[in-house]
């Protein structure tokens, strides 16, 4: 259980276009999902926390108007990179939180999406 | 301010031997700790976790040890296999809050 999918796995787009990335929890409901970004040879950087039915919480330095997050259902969160530029090229990873027992709060990650902006 | 630190960027181990990956943290409010394994161009895979009420958790070849007084945890893999070669991330959280990741340690298991 606890499988998280992302779509697309890879996308190449022209500068100035918008790109939508979907994150789905396949066999469980996730009230909270997270979006991360990873640069080459660096650790995961949390971009925002996505809560079902409410606005996302963005980390300091992340432009909320550029990275639009929508968590419309308990199994789907989307990240839209608006007016993408080459510096937005990165590996974007989502995760979904699973809380089973008191004190156990685990995030399961999607496979990631490689975005290349030309 | 790095709240979770993995001071060894890489580790090389012979197949069949024990791999020990270390992680230190500074925030005493953290009460849940996790280890993830990551291959290039893939999302992290959850390996094992431990809550602050325990000092050891074991799952197959993987054991995590937590020393709260030293704010230190370690992941032991025994026996190590070539397929274990990956980047290992330590992460910590205060219940219900976001995960804080370490920088990762590259493990290479030589056959």
């Amino acid at each position: 259980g606890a499988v998280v999918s992302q779509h697309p796995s890879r996308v190449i787009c022209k500068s100035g276009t918008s790109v939508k990335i979907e994150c789905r929890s396949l066999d469980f409901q996730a009230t909270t999902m997270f979006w991360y970004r990873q640069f080459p040879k660096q650790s995961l950087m949390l971009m925002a926390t996505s809560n079902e039915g409410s606005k996302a919480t963005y980390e300091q330095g992340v432009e909320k108007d550029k990275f639009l997050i929508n968590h419309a259902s308990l199994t789907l969160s989307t990240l839209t990179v608006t007016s993408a530029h080459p510096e937005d090229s990165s590996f974007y990873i989502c995760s979904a939180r699973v809380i089973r027992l008191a004190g156990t709060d685990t995030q399961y990650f999607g496979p990631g999406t490689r975005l290349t902006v030309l | 301010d790095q709240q979770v630190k993995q001071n060894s960027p890489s580790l090389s181990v012979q197949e069949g031997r024990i791999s020990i990956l270390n992680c230190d943290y500074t925030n005493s409010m953290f009460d849940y700790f996790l280890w993830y394994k990551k291959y290039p161009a893939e999302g992290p895979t959850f390996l094992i976790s431990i809550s602050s009420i325990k000092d050891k958790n074991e799952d197959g070849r993987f054991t995590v040890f937590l020393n709260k007084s030293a704010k230190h945890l370690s992941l032991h893999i025994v026996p190590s296999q070539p397929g274990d070669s990956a980047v290992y991330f330590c992460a910590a959280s205060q219940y219900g809050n976001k995960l804080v990741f370490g920088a990762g340690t590259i493990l290479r298991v030589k056959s």
Side-chain angles (χ1 to χ4, degrees):
Chain A
V3 178
V4 178
S5 71
Q6 268 183 256
H7 178 81
S9 58
R10 189 174 296 182
V11 58
I12 302 172
C13 69
K14 292 183 180 179
S15 185
T17 60
S18 294
V19 175
K20 180 187 281 189
I21 303 170
E22 292 186 349
C23 177
R24 293 183 185 272
S25 56
L26 297 185
D27 51 359
F28 64 100
Q29 294 181 329
T31 55
T32 305
M33 291 183 173
F34 302 86
W35 287 96
Y36 294 82
R37 184 172 177 177
Q38 185 181 32
F39 295 98
K41 297 184 180 179
Q42 292 191 22
S43 186
L44 298 168
M45 183 194 83
L46 178 65
M47 298 174 65
T49 301
S50 170
N51 296 298
E52 188 267 336
S54 65
K55 291 183 179 180
T57 304
Y58 290 82
E59 294 300 300
Q60 193 173 10
V62 178
E63 297 176 60
K64 62 180 180 180
D65 294 330
K66 180 160 189 66
F67 299 100
L68 299 179
I69 290 172
N70 185 284
H71 194 155
S73 78
L74 288 171
T75 58
L76 174 65
S77 175
T78 60
L79 167 69
T80 301
V81 183
T82 62
S83 187
H85 290 284
E87 58 266 28
D88 299 323
S89 298
S90 191
F91 192 57
Y92 293 87
I93 312 172
C94 73
S95 72
R97 166 182 276 160
V98 177
I99 300 176
R100 290 202 176 96
L101 302 171
T104 64
D105 174 4
T106 303
Q107 288 183 31
Y108 292 88
F109 286 82
T113 296
R114 169 69 62 191
L115 170 63
T116 303
V117 185
L118 303 176
Chain B
D1 174 30
Q2 270 189 299
Q3 297 186 71
V4 178
K5 297 179 184 179
Q6 292 178 256
N7 292 318
S8 298
S10 65
L11 174 68
S12 188
V13 171
Q14 197 67 35
E15 180 180 7
R17 299 289 187 99
I18 185 171
S19 295
I20 300 177
L21 298 123
N22 293 303
C23 179
D24 296 293
Y25 62 96
T26 57
N27 188 342
S28 58
M29 299 301 291
F30 286 145
D31 55 14
Y32 193 58
F33 305 88
L34 309 92
W35 283 94
Y36 288 88
K37 173 182 177 180
K38 186 181 183 300
Y39 295 114
E42 293 185 13
T45 300
F46 169 70
L47 277 177
I48 193 167
S49 63
I50 188 167
S51 74
S52 59
I53 61 173
K54 294 185 176 181
D55 54 20
K56 178 183 175 181
N57 188 25
E58 191 173 350
D59 183 1
R61 295 187 298 117
F62 303 93
T63 304
V64 56
F65 295 92
L66 175 62
N67 182 333
K68 288 189 294 293
S69 60
K71 294 191 180 70
H72 177 84
L73 67 154
S74 61
L75 174 68
H76 292 211
I77 306 173
V78 56
S80 301
Q81 300 172 353
D84 295 329
S85 298
V87 180
Y88 288 78
F89 289 99
C90 162
S93 74
Q94 188 179 346
Y95 183 72
N97 290 334
K98 61 187 179 185
L99 285 179
V100 179
F101 282 88
T105 297
I106 300 170
L107 173 65
R108 296 186 186 90
V109 180
K110 298 177 289 187
S111 56

